[in-house]
Amino acid sequence: MQLIDGKAVAAKIKEEIAKEVQAIKAEGGKTPHLAAILVGHDGGSETYVAHKVKACAECGFKSTLIRLESDVTEAELLSKVEELNQDADVDGFIVQLPLPKHIDEQKVIEAIDYRKDVDGFHPINVGRMSIGLPCFVSATPAGIMDLLAHYNIETKGKHCVVLGRSNIVGKPVATLMMQKSNPGNATVTVCHSASENLKDITRQADILIAALGVPEFVTADMVKDGVTVIDVGTTRVPNANTKSGFKLTGDVKFDEVAPKCSYITPVPGGVGPMTICSLMKNTLLAGKKSIYK
Ligand code: GUN
């Protein structure tokens, strides 16, 4: 069993980005600039955004954090989005999700100029990804593909089973895994809460991508020997023994599943660090106007 070290791969990619940014600056080019809108004070969102701001500094990017209170109106948020759309210095920006219930998330996503949508959530980017055109690919699926590439894990012709059909992970990662590319070119099955005979399907997986958000859902009896397991779960499970009062827990029961695996991602330190790294890659592409002019 080999552990997939997302932290190490992400550090290496960020180093490469930093070098490129240094070269851009040395030639008098524009410093890539990422802005993030954070609404409210959700603990998870605060942490994620803080990591994104820190990663920007590591890469040599400029970053701007815009904080709005949780009672901000939808109109006020949309007006802030429009301001960032128009701001020539901002190359890309994100609106951290989830948003308070009174705000229509999809409306906000669609208000973002797709050319600055470094999260890759806008329907134009999602659509372009699904037909294999250049676009901003959302961070978690892109990070998973980078990990598979880094470890030279064979995907062509393999059976990839995806657990979960979210717009952020399940659907896009299934799309990328079935695309005629490397990594990719796999036979893909997507399972979800209505899937019958789940175990019969997951036991066929050469590559199992668990993205349901149910802590320790995948148990040893659900996988075959030699499987590659990518655990996307990051649920904060209350735990009295940790300083923060919770333990970040994946969708896979790691201790019993790991011995059966060829490769497995740990939680934390697997997919998580790659996600932020993908956002940095997209920001660099946005800064260079590599995808959209
Ligand atoms: N919430 C959880 N993951 C993400 C992400 O990748 N982007 C944004 N904007 N919000 C998130």
Side-chain angles (χ1 to χ4, degrees):
M1 184 274 290
Q2 190 175 349
L3 209 57
I4 296 179
D5 189 346
K7 212 171 155 184
V9 179
K12 185 168 165 274
I13 295 175
K14 277 189 285 186
E15 243 174 64
E16 287 165 8
I17 295 173
K19 265 192 208 147
E20 194 174 337
V21 172
Q22 246 176 10
I24 291 171
K25 288 183 190 173
E27 287 165 13
K30 183 185 176 301
T31 300
H33 181 184
L34 174 72
I37 301 179
L38 175 58
V39 180
H41 300 275
D42 172 75
S45 294
E46 290 269 1
T47 307
Y48 292 136
V49 170
H51 284 148
K52 290 171 186 178
V53 169
K54 182 167 165 267
C56 281
E58 288 165 3
C59 292
F61 297 164
K62 181 176 171 187
S63 68
T64 302
L65 173 58
I66 297 149
R67 286 179 167 278
L68 300 171
E69 286 308 318
S70 49
D71 61 356
V72 68
T73 65
E74 187 179 276
E76 284 165 338
L77 176 55
L78 289 171
S79 136
K80 187 46 92 176
V81 165
E82 189 49 29
E83 204 180 292
L84 294 176
N85 283 341
Q86 300 298 334
D87 187 336
D89 193 60
V90 172
D91 297 298
F93 67 99
I94 64 161
V95 179
Q96 187 65 26
L97 306 177
L99 291 171
K101 296 230 174 329
H102 66 278
I103 297 175
D104 181 344
E105 249 172 40
Q106 196 56 33
K107 198 167 167 186
V108 173
I109 288 169
E110 291 185 39
I112 296 172
D113 184 333
Y114 68 93
R115 294 165 298 187
K116 294 191 177 190
D117 168 40
V118 284
D119 256 334
F121 292 167
H122 191 286
I124 290 182
N125 282 309
V126 177
R128 288 177 67 92
M129 181 206 59
S130 73
I131 55 173
L133 293 176
C135 64
F136 292 119
V137 176
S138 64
T140 306
I144 293 170
M145 302 307 277
D146 281 350
L147 282 180
L148 294 170
H150 185 87
Y151 283 86
N152 275 318
I153 294 167
E154 183 66 83
T155 57
K156 182 181 175 186
K158 302 295 177 194
H159 190 183
C160 173
V161 175
V162 179
L163 293 179
R165 57 178 157 187
S166 70
N167 289 342
I168 299 188
V169 188
K171 276 183 209 151
V173 84
T175 301
L176 293 172
M177 286 299 285
M178 79 170 83
Q179 225 140 46
K180 203 166 184 179
S181 59
N182 183 32
N185 226 352
T187 303
V188 180
T189 304
V190 180
C191 299
H192 44 76
S193 50
S195 297
E196 290 178 358
N197 306 320
L198 194 63
K199 200 187 293 184
D200 293 341
I201 302 169
T202 57
R203 285 180 67 88
Q204 293 174 34
D206 300 304
I207 300 158
L208 182 67
I209 301 176
L212 356 54
V214 179
E216 302 189 323
F217 180 86
V218 178
T219 46
D221 57 325
M222 292 172 71
V223 300
K224 71 176 179 188
D225 282 322
V227 65
T228 290
V229 170
I230 306 291
D231 187 351
V232 188
T234 50
T235 308
R236 295 170 146 218
V237 174
N239 186 307
N241 300 323
T242 64
K243 211 171 102 188
S244 57
F246 67 84
K247 187 167 176 274
L248 211 57
T249 307
D251 288 349
V252 177
K253 213 165 196 175
F254 184 90
D255 289 348
E256 63 175 61
V257 173
K260 296 183 80 173
C261 296
S262 309
Y263 295 90
I264 184 167
T265 59
V267 175
V271 174
M274 291 301 293
T275 298
I276 292 185
C277 191
S278 304
L279 178 65
M280 298 299 115
K281 282 173 82 172
N282 278 348
T283 303
L284 179 58
L285 290 171
K288 295 195 294 183
K289 307 279 179 278
S290 296
I291 296 175
Y292 304 113
K293 299 292 162 231

